[in-house]
Amino acid sequence: MSKIHITREHALGLADARKLAFRWAETAREHLGMECLYEEGEDADLLHFKRNGVHGELAVTAERFVLDAKLGLLLAAFKHRIHSEIVKNLDLLLAHEEPLAAFESELAKRAAARKAAGKEA
């Protein structure tokens, strides 16, 4: 089993970090078929996620996100690409003044692109 570990510091505070992580969980359920369980804590939250080929946790605190995931055999071949895409997307979001708004904007762009691609076919 191949592992991914990513830590990213942020200045969001727990409330805003929680909103961003919870929104990611909703999106992962809808678009990636993930089973997600979000546990809120007083000082930190833990998001458990799984689907065929991957399972892991996202720890959410006032200062950082820590992602630990285990990839199954088929996804392990794409470990470096998966890791780099997660890092790239997370870094882009955290660079925004309003990461949740940036996330929503990116989701809308992707939905519009899918819709446009469907009309062209």
Side-chain angles (χ1 to χ4, degrees), residues 1-3 5-6 9 13 17-18 29-30 40 46 48 53 58 60 66 71 74 78-80 85 88 95 98 108:
M1 196 158 276
S2 194
K3 297 179 183 178
H5 176 81
I6 300 169
E9 304 291 325
R18 177 178 284 153
R29 267 190 225 110
E30 293 169 15
E40 287 188 15
L46 194 56
H48 305 272
L58 175 65
V60 180
V66 179
L71 305 176
L74 294 176
F78 301 100
K79 175 187 175 180
H80 297 291
E85 285 294 312
K88 178 184 82 170
E98 297 284 335

Side-chain angles (χ1 to χ4, degrees), residues 21-22 24-25 29 35-39 45-49 56-60:
F22 192 81
W24 178 85
R29 267 190 225 110
E35 291 179 37
C36 297
L37 173 65
Y38 198 95
E39 298 177 13
D45 295 354
L46 194 56
L47 168 62
H48 305 272
F49 57 89
E57 297 177 341
L58 175 65
V60 180

